[in-house]
Structures are given as structure tokens and as C-alpha cells.
PDB file of all heavy atoms in Angstrom:
ATOM      1  N   LEU A   1      -3.117  12.301  37.970  1.00 90.00           N
ATOM      2  CA  LEU A   1      -2.140  13.381  38.108  1.00 90.00           C
ATOM      3  C   LEU A   1      -1.935  14.100  36.782  1.00 90.00           C
ATOM      4  O   LEU A   1      -1.885  15.339  36.731  1.00 90.00           O
ATOM      5  CB  LEU A   1      -0.804  12.813  38.607  1.00 90.00           C
ATOM      6  CG  LEU A   1      -0.749  12.349  40.058  1.00 90.00           C
ATOM      7  CD1 LEU A   1       0.556  11.606  40.324  1.00 90.00           C
ATOM      8  CD2 LEU A   1      -0.883  13.520  41.011  1.00 90.00           C
ATOM      9  N   ALA A   2      -1.819  13.326  35.695  1.00 92.00           N
ATOM     10  CA  ALA A   2      -1.651  13.930  34.372  1.00 92.00           C
ATOM     11  C   ALA A   2      -2.862  14.774  34.007  1.00 92.00           C
ATOM     12  O   ALA A   2      -2.725  15.864  33.438  1.00 92.00           O
ATOM     13  CB  ALA A   2      -1.417  12.842  33.324  1.00 92.00           C
ATOM     14  N   SER A   3      -4.055  14.292  34.342  1.00 92.00           N
ATOM     15  CA  SER A   3      -5.282  15.048  34.062  1.00 92.00           C
ATOM     16  C   SER A   3      -5.274  16.375  34.798  1.00 92.00           C
ATOM     17  O   SER A   3      -5.615  17.419  34.235  1.00 92.00           O
ATOM     18  CB  SER A   3      -6.510  14.227  34.472  1.00 92.00           C
ATOM     19  OG  SER A   3      -6.601  13.035  33.728  1.00 92.00           O
ATOM     20  N   ALA A   4      -4.878  16.339  36.083  1.00 91.00           N
ATOM     21  CA  ALA A   4      -4.837  17.573  36.877  1.00 91.00           C
ATOM     22  C   ALA A   4      -3.837  18.566  36.299  1.00 91.00           C
ATOM     23  O   ALA A   4      -4.095  19.776  36.256  1.00 91.00           O
ATOM     24  CB  ALA A   4      -4.479  17.248  38.331  1.00 91.00           C
ATOM     25  N   LEU A   5      -2.709  18.086  35.807  1.00 90.00           N
ATOM     26  CA  LEU A   5      -1.694  18.969  35.236  1.00 90.00           C
ATOM     27  C   LEU A   5      -2.174  19.598  33.927  1.00 90.00           C
ATOM     28  O   LEU A   5      -1.911  20.771  33.659  1.00 90.00           O
ATOM     29  CB  LEU A   5      -0.386  18.207  35.012  1.00 90.00           C
ATOM     30  CG  LEU A   5       0.350  17.806  36.296  1.00 90.00           C
ATOM     31  CD1 LEU A   5       1.556  16.924  35.971  1.00 90.00           C
ATOM     32  CD2 LEU A   5       0.804  19.036  37.071  1.00 90.00           C
ATOM     33  N   VAL A   6      -2.888  18.837  33.097  1.00 92.00           N
ATOM     34  CA  VAL A   6      -3.443  19.400  31.864  1.00 92.00           C
ATOM     35  C   VAL A   6      -4.491  20.468  32.196  1.00 92.00           C
ATOM     36  O   VAL A   6      -4.568  21.510  31.539  1.00 92.00           O
ATOM     37  CB  VAL A   6      -4.041  18.292  30.969  1.00 92.00           C
ATOM     38  CG1 VAL A   6      -4.746  18.901  29.748  1.00 92.00           C
ATOM     39  CG2 VAL A   6      -2.953  17.340  30.506  1.00 92.00           C
ATOM     40  N   VAL A   7      -5.300  20.211  33.221  1.00 91.00           N
ATOM     41  CA  VAL A   7      -6.270  21.208  33.680  1.00 91.00           C
ATOM     42  C   VAL A   7      -5.567  22.508  34.049  1.00 91.00           C
ATOM     43  O   VAL A   7      -6.007  23.612  33.682  1.00 91.00           O
ATOM     44  CB  VAL A   7      -7.066  20.662  34.893  1.00 91.00           C
ATOM     45  CG1 VAL A   7      -7.820  21.785  35.591  1.00 91.00           C
ATOM     46  CG2 VAL A   7      -8.036  19.576  34.456  1.00 91.00           C
ATOM     47  N   VAL A   8      -4.453  22.398  34.767  1.00 88.00           N
ATOM     48  CA  VAL A   8      -3.688  23.578  35.177  1.00 88.00           C
ATOM     49  C   VAL A   8      -3.212  24.356  33.952  1.00 88.00           C
ATOM     50  O   VAL A   8      -3.308  25.595  33.901  1.00 88.00           O
ATOM     51  CB  VAL A   8      -2.490  23.155  36.047  1.00 88.00           C
ATOM     52  CG1 VAL A   8      -1.508  24.308  36.219  1.00 88.00           C
ATOM     53  CG2 VAL A   8      -2.973  22.668  37.409  1.00 88.00           C
ATOM     54  N   ILE A   9      -2.696  23.654  32.942  1.00 87.00           N
ATOM     55  CA  ILE A   9      -2.192  24.316  31.730  1.00 87.00           C
ATOM     56  C   ILE A   9      -3.313  25.060  31.022  1.00 87.00           C
ATOM     57  O   ILE A   9      -3.157  26.218  30.601  1.00 87.00           O
ATOM     58  CB  ILE A   9      -1.538  23.284  30.796  1.00 87.00           C
ATOM     59  CG1 ILE A   9      -0.259  22.745  31.428  1.00 87.00           C
ATOM     60  CG2 ILE A   9      -1.225  23.911  29.432  1.00 87.00           C
ATOM     61  CD1 ILE A   9       0.341  21.561  30.707  1.00 87.00           C
ATOM     62  N   ILE A  10      -4.473  24.426  30.884  1.00 88.00           N
ATOM     63  CA  ILE A  10      -5.595  25.063  30.177  1.00 88.00           C
ATOM     64  C   ILE A  10      -6.093  26.278  30.953  1.00 88.00           C
ATOM     65  O   ILE A  10      -6.298  27.355  30.388  1.00 88.00           O
ATOM     66  CB  ILE A  10      -6.734  24.055  29.950  1.00 88.00           C
ATOM     67  CG1 ILE A  10      -6.288  22.964  28.974  1.00 88.00           C
ATOM     68  CG2 ILE A  10      -7.985  24.759  29.406  1.00 88.00           C
ATOM     69  CD1 ILE A  10      -7.298  21.844  28.796  1.00 88.00           C
ATOM     70  N   TRP A  11      -6.275  26.128  32.271  1.00 85.00           N
ATOM     71  CA  TRP A  11      -6.787  27.250  33.068  1.00 85.00           C
ATOM     72  C   TRP A  11      -5.785  28.402  33.134  1.00 85.00           C
ATOM     73  O   TRP A  11      -6.182  29.562  33.203  1.00 85.00           O
ATOM     74  CB  TRP A  11      -7.155  26.774  34.463  1.00 85.00           C
ATOM     75  CG  TRP A  11      -8.533  26.167  34.517  1.00 85.00           C
ATOM     76  CD1 TRP A  11      -9.540  26.360  33.617  1.00 85.00           C
ATOM     77  CD2 TRP A  11      -9.047  25.280  35.516  1.00 85.00           C
ATOM     78  NE1 TRP A  11     -10.651  25.644  33.994  1.00 85.00           N
ATOM     79  CE2 TRP A  11     -10.382  24.969  35.152  1.00 85.00           C
ATOM     80  CE3 TRP A  11      -8.517  24.728  36.670  1.00 85.00           C
ATOM     81  CZ2 TRP A  11     -11.191  24.133  35.906  1.00 85.00           C
ATOM     82  CZ3 TRP A  11      -9.314  23.882  37.427  1.00 85.00           C
ATOM     83  CH2 TRP A  11     -10.639  23.596  37.056  1.00 85.00           C
ATOM     84  N   SER A  12      -4.504  28.102  33.095  1.00 79.00           N
ATOM     85  CA  SER A  12      -3.510  29.172  33.196  1.00 79.00           C
ATOM     86  C   SER A  12      -3.398  29.995  31.923  1.00 79.00           C
ATOM     87  O   SER A  12      -2.851  31.099  31.943  1.00 79.00           O
ATOM     88  CB  SER A  12      -2.135  28.591  33.549  1.00 79.00           C
ATOM     89  OG  SER A  12      -1.658  27.757  32.514  1.00 79.00           O
ATOM     90  N   THR A  13      -3.914  29.479  30.798  1.00 76.00           N
ATOM     91  CA  THR A  13      -3.846  30.213  29.524  1.00 76.00           C
ATOM     92  C   THR A  13      -5.206  30.701  29.040  1.00 76.00           C
ATOM     93  O   THR A  13      -5.276  31.417  28.042  1.00 76.00           O
ATOM     94  CB  THR A  13      -3.222  29.325  28.435  1.00 76.00           C
ATOM     95  OG1 THR A  13      -3.985  28.111  28.312  1.00 76.00           O
ATOM     96  CG2 THR A  13      -1.785  28.964  28.778  1.00 76.00           C
ATOM     97  N   SER A  14      -6.288  30.333  29.730  1.00 77.00           N
ATOM     98  CA  SER A  14      -7.627  30.616  29.210  1.00 77.00           C
ATOM     99  C   SER A  14      -7.934  32.110  29.164  1.00 77.00           C
ATOM    100  O   SER A  14      -8.612  32.585  28.242  1.00 77.00           O
ATOM    101  CB  SER A  14      -8.690  29.895  30.053  1.00 77.00           C
ATOM    102  OG  SER A  14      -8.636  30.334  31.399  1.00 77.00           O
ATOM    103  N   PHE A  15      -7.440  32.873  30.159  1.00 72.00           N
ATOM    104  CA  PHE A  15      -7.747  34.298  30.204  1.00 72.00           C
ATOM    105  C   PHE A  15      -7.258  35.011  28.949  1.00 72.00           C
ATOM    106  O   PHE A  15      -7.953  35.850  28.376  1.00 72.00           O
ATOM    107  CB  PHE A  15      -7.124  34.933  31.449  1.00 72.00           C
ATOM    108  CG  PHE A  15      -7.269  36.424  31.495  1.00 72.00           C
ATOM    109  CD1 PHE A  15      -8.478  37.009  31.797  1.00 72.00           C
ATOM    110  CD2 PHE A  15      -6.189  37.240  31.221  1.00 72.00           C
ATOM    111  CE1 PHE A  15      -8.617  38.393  31.830  1.00 72.00           C
ATOM    112  CE2 PHE A  15      -6.309  38.622  31.253  1.00 72.00           C
ATOM    113  CZ  PHE A  15      -7.529  39.191  31.560  1.00 72.00           C
ATOM    114  N   SER A  16      -6.044  34.679  28.493  1.00 68.00           N
ATOM    115  CA  SER A  16      -5.466  35.344  27.326  1.00 68.00           C
ATOM    116  C   SER A  16      -6.320  35.151  26.085  1.00 68.00           C
ATOM    117  O   SER A  16      -6.451  36.053  25.260  1.00 68.00           O
ATOM    118  CB  SER A  16      -4.054  34.803  27.076  1.00 68.00           C
ATOM    119  OG  SER A  16      -3.224  35.022  28.191  1.00 68.00           O
ATOM    120  N   PHE A  17      -6.901  33.964  25.941  1.00 74.00           N
ATOM    121  CA  PHE A  17      -7.694  33.676  24.752  1.00 74.00           C
ATOM    122  C   PHE A  17      -9.106  34.260  24.832  1.00 74.00           C
ATOM    123  O   PHE A  17      -9.694  34.599  23.809  1.00 74.00           O
ATOM    124  CB  PHE A  17      -7.785  32.157  24.540  1.00 74.00           C
ATOM    125  CG  PHE A  17      -6.517  31.540  24.063  1.00 74.00           C
ATOM    126  CD1 PHE A  17      -5.633  30.958  24.951  1.00 74.00           C
ATOM    127  CD2 PHE A  17      -6.186  31.542  22.714  1.00 74.00           C
ATOM    128  CE1 PHE A  17      -4.445  30.393  24.512  1.00 74.00           C
ATOM    129  CE2 PHE A  17      -5.006  30.982  22.261  1.00 74.00           C
ATOM    130  CZ  PHE A  17      -4.135  30.398  23.163  1.00 74.00           C
ATOM    131  N   ALA A  18      -9.656  34.371  26.048  1.00 78.00           N
ATOM    132  CA  ALA A  18     -11.060  34.760  26.186  1.00 78.00           C
ATOM    133  C   ALA A  18     -11.282  36.249  26.362  1.00 78.00           C
ATOM    134  O   ALA A  18     -12.336  36.768  25.981  1.00 78.00           O
ATOM    135  CB  ALA A  18     -11.684  34.013  27.374  1.00 78.00           C
ATOM    136  N   LYS A  19     -10.317  36.965  26.919  1.00 74.00           N
ATOM    137  CA  LYS A  19     -10.540  38.343  27.341  1.00 74.00           C
ATOM    138  C   LYS A  19     -11.010  39.236  26.193  1.00 74.00           C
ATOM    139  O   LYS A  19     -11.982  39.992  26.323  1.00 74.00           O
ATOM    140  CB  LYS A  19      -9.250  38.893  27.959  1.00 74.00           C
ATOM    141  CG  LYS A  19      -9.322  40.365  28.372  1.00 74.00           C
ATOM    142  CD  LYS A  19     -10.385  40.611  29.433  1.00 74.00           C
ATOM    143  CE  LYS A  19     -10.385  42.055  29.887  1.00 74.00           C
ATOM    144  NZ  LYS A  19     -11.524  42.345  30.769  1.00 74.00           N
ATOM    145  N   GLU A  20     -10.330  39.191  25.040  1.00 78.00           N
ATOM    146  CA  GLU A  20     -10.682  40.068  23.923  1.00 78.00           C
ATOM    147  C   GLU A  20     -12.087  39.769  23.410  1.00 78.00           C
ATOM    148  O   GLU A  20     -12.860  40.692  23.109  1.00 78.00           O
ATOM    149  CB  GLU A  20      -9.662  39.905  22.797  1.00 78.00           C
ATOM    150  CG  GLU A  20      -9.882  40.854  21.624  1.00 78.00           C
ATOM    151  CD  GLU A  20      -8.839  40.698  20.537  1.00 78.00           C
ATOM    152  OE1 GLU A  20      -7.766  40.117  20.816  1.00 78.00           O
ATOM    153  OE2 GLU A  20      -9.090  41.141  19.410  1.00 78.00           O
ATOM    154  N   ALA A  21     -12.445  38.480  23.313  1.00 84.00           N
ATOM    155  CA  ALA A  21     -13.775  38.108  22.829  1.00 84.00           C
ATOM    156  C   ALA A  21     -14.856  38.544  23.806  1.00 84.00           C
ATOM    157  O   ALA A  21     -15.933  38.998  23.395  1.00 84.00           O
ATOM    158  CB  ALA A  21     -13.843  36.599  22.595  1.00 84.00           C
ATOM    159  N   ILE A  22     -14.596  38.438  25.105  1.00 82.00           N
ATOM    160  CA  ILE A  22     -15.574  38.878  26.104  1.00 82.00           C
ATOM    161  C   ILE A  22     -15.778  40.381  26.006  1.00 82.00           C
ATOM    162  O   ILE A  22     -16.910  40.882  26.083  1.00 82.00           O
ATOM    163  CB  ILE A  22     -15.117  38.469  27.517  1.00 82.00           C
ATOM    164  CG1 ILE A  22     -15.137  36.952  27.667  1.00 82.00           C
ATOM    165  CG2 ILE A  22     -16.011  39.097  28.577  1.00 82.00           C
ATOM    166  CD1 ILE A  22     -14.542  36.460  28.959  1.00 82.00           C
ATOM    167  N   ASP A  23     -14.692  41.122  25.833  1.00 80.00           N
ATOM    168  CA  ASP A  23     -14.792  42.579  25.696  1.00 80.00           C
ATOM    169  C   ASP A  23     -15.639  42.965  24.491  1.00 80.00           C
ATOM    170  O   ASP A  23     -16.416  43.931  24.542  1.00 80.00           O
ATOM    171  CB  ASP A  23     -13.399  43.202  25.566  1.00 80.00           C
ATOM    172  CG  ASP A  23     -12.629  43.161  26.878  1.00 80.00           C
ATOM    173  OD1 ASP A  23     -13.275  42.991  27.931  1.00 80.00           O
ATOM    174  OD2 ASP A  23     -11.394  43.289  26.845  1.00 80.00           O
ATOM    175  N   HIS A  24     -15.507  42.231  23.391  1.00 83.00           N
ATOM    176  CA  HIS A  24     -16.218  42.585  22.158  1.00 83.00           C
ATOM    177  C   HIS A  24     -17.673  42.122  22.181  1.00 83.00           C
ATOM    178  O   HIS A  24     -18.588  42.876  21.825  1.00 83.00           O
ATOM    179  CB  HIS A  24     -15.507  41.975  20.941  1.00 83.00           C
ATOM    180  CG  HIS A  24     -16.182  42.256  19.644  1.00 83.00           C
ATOM    181  ND1 HIS A  24     -16.496  41.272  18.734  1.00 83.00           N
ATOM    182  CD2 HIS A  24     -16.645  43.428  19.102  1.00 83.00           C
ATOM    183  CE1 HIS A  24     -17.102  41.821  17.689  1.00 83.00           C
ATOM    184  NE2 HIS A  24     -17.196  43.114  17.888  1.00 83.00           N
ATOM    185  N   LEU A  25     -17.904  40.877  22.609  1.00 84.00           N
ATOM    186  CA  LEU A  25     -19.245  40.293  22.531  1.00 84.00           C
ATOM    187  C   LEU A  25     -20.085  40.569  23.776  1.00 84.00           C
ATOM    188  O   LEU A  25     -21.316  40.492  23.719  1.00 84.00           O
ATOM    189  CB  LEU A  25     -19.148  38.780  22.334  1.00 84.00           C
ATOM    190  CG  LEU A  25     -18.446  38.302  21.050  1.00 84.00           C
ATOM    191  CD1 LEU A  25     -18.280  36.788  21.078  1.00 84.00           C
ATOM    192  CD2 LEU A  25     -19.227  38.739  19.812  1.00 84.00           C
ATOM    193  N   GLY A  26     -19.439  40.878  24.891  1.00 82.00           N
ATOM    194  CA  GLY A  26     -20.153  40.945  26.158  1.00 82.00           C
ATOM    195  C   GLY A  26     -20.128  39.577  26.809  1.00 82.00           C
ATOM    196  O   GLY A  26     -20.048  38.547  26.126  1.00 82.00           O
ATOM    197  N   PRO A  27     -20.185  39.514  28.135  1.00 81.00           N
ATOM    198  CA  PRO A  27     -20.012  38.233  28.829  1.00 81.00           C
ATOM    199  C   PRO A  27     -21.094  37.205  28.526  1.00 81.00           C
ATOM    200  O   PRO A  27     -20.813  36.016  28.426  1.00 81.00           O
ATOM    201  CB  PRO A  27     -20.015  38.626  30.310  1.00 81.00           C
ATOM    202  CG  PRO A  27     -20.723  39.942  30.365  1.00 81.00           C
ATOM    203  CD  PRO A  27     -20.384  40.635  29.082  1.00 81.00           C
ATOM    204  N   TRP A  28     -22.344  37.650  28.356  1.00 83.00           N
ATOM    205  CA  TRP A  28     -23.427  36.673  28.260  1.00 83.00           C
ATOM    206  C   TRP A  28     -23.541  36.093  26.858  1.00 83.00           C
ATOM    207  O   TRP A  28     -23.821  34.897  26.709  1.00 83.00           O
ATOM    208  CB  TRP A  28     -24.739  37.299  28.715  1.00 83.00           C
ATOM    209  CG  TRP A  28     -24.601  37.929  30.062  1.00 83.00           C
ATOM    210  CD1 TRP A  28     -24.841  39.223  30.398  1.00 83.00           C
ATOM    211  CD2 TRP A  28     -24.131  37.288  31.261  1.00 83.00           C
ATOM    212  NE1 TRP A  28     -24.556  39.441  31.720  1.00 83.00           N
ATOM    213  CE2 TRP A  28     -24.124  38.279  32.277  1.00 83.00           C
ATOM    214  CE3 TRP A  28     -23.720  35.997  31.571  1.00 83.00           C
ATOM    215  CZ2 TRP A  28     -23.722  37.998  33.575  1.00 83.00           C
ATOM    216  CZ3 TRP A  28     -23.311  35.724  32.869  1.00 83.00           C
ATOM    217  CH2 TRP A  28     -23.323  36.715  33.847  1.00 83.00           C
ATOM    218  N   LEU A  29     -23.312  36.905  25.827  1.00 86.00           N
ATOM    219  CA  LEU A  29     -23.304  36.355  24.471  1.00 86.00           C
ATOM    220  C   LEU A  29     -22.111  35.428  24.297  1.00 86.00           C
ATOM    221  O   LEU A  29     -22.234  34.340  23.704  1.00 86.00           O
ATOM    222  CB  LEU A  29     -23.264  37.485  23.444  1.00 86.00           C
ATOM    223  CG  LEU A  29     -23.279  37.044  21.972  1.00 86.00           C
ATOM    224  CD1 LEU A  29     -24.518  36.222  21.659  1.00 86.00           C
ATOM    225  CD2 LEU A  29     -23.186  38.263  21.043  1.00 86.00           C
ATOM    226  N   PHE A  30     -20.949  35.843  24.810  1.00 88.00           N
ATOM    227  CA  PHE A  30     -19.763  34.989  24.739  1.00 88.00           C
ATOM    228  C   PHE A  30     -20.025  33.652  25.435  1.00 88.00           C
ATOM    229  O   PHE A  30     -19.685  32.583  24.914  1.00 88.00           O
ATOM    230  CB  PHE A  30     -18.566  35.687  25.375  1.00 88.00           C
ATOM    231  CG  PHE A  30     -17.336  34.822  25.445  1.00 88.00           C
ATOM    232  CD1 PHE A  30     -16.470  34.743  24.366  1.00 88.00           C
ATOM    233  CD2 PHE A  30     -17.036  34.098  26.588  1.00 88.00           C
ATOM    234  CE1 PHE A  30     -15.337  33.943  24.422  1.00 88.00           C
ATOM    235  CE2 PHE A  30     -15.914  33.292  26.652  1.00 88.00           C
ATOM    236  CZ  PHE A  30     -15.056  33.217  25.570  1.00 88.00           C
ATOM    237  N   ARG A  31     -20.630  33.708  26.624  1.00 88.00           N
ATOM    238  CA  ARG A  31     -20.877  32.472  27.372  1.00 88.00           C
ATOM    239  C   ARG A  31     -21.866  31.581  26.643  1.00 88.00           C
ATOM    240  O   ARG A  31     -21.689  30.365  26.591  1.00 88.00           O
ATOM    241  CB  ARG A  31     -21.383  32.813  28.770  1.00 88.00           C
ATOM    242  CG  ARG A  31     -21.727  31.564  29.578  1.00 88.00           C
ATOM    243  CD  ARG A  31     -21.542  31.790  31.038  1.00 88.00           C
ATOM    244  NE  ARG A  31     -21.923  30.597  31.793  1.00 88.00           N
ATOM    245  CZ  ARG A  31     -21.170  29.523  31.925  1.00 88.00           C
ATOM    246  NH1 ARG A  31     -19.983  29.463  31.373  1.00 88.00           N
ATOM    247  NH2 ARG A  31     -21.581  28.486  32.632  1.00 88.00           N
TER     248      ARG A  31
END
């Protein structure tokens, strides 16, 4: 249960951290 909750926290904040880098580098270089 704790693992699932940590997963939720990470996934709920990932967009904010990744969006700017994806815009600058492009999706495939970023990936």
C-alpha cells in the first residue's frame, strides 16, 4: 500500500518537472 501511494505522488508531480525539458529537447532526445 505504501509503495502504491509513493507511486501516486511521483506520477502526480512528474508532468511539472518533465514538460519544460521535453519542449526544449524534443520527446525522443529527452526519453
Side-chain angles (χ1 to χ4, degrees):
L1 288 171
S3 298
L5 291 174
V6 174
V7 166
V8 167
I9 292 170
I10 293 174
W11 277 340
S12 64
T13 57
S14 60
F15 174 75
S16 301
F17 287 96
K19 177 61 177 172
E20 184 179 342
I22 293 173
D23 288 341
H24 179 231
L25 298 173
W28 308 122
L29 181 59
F30 175 86
R31 177 151 178 79

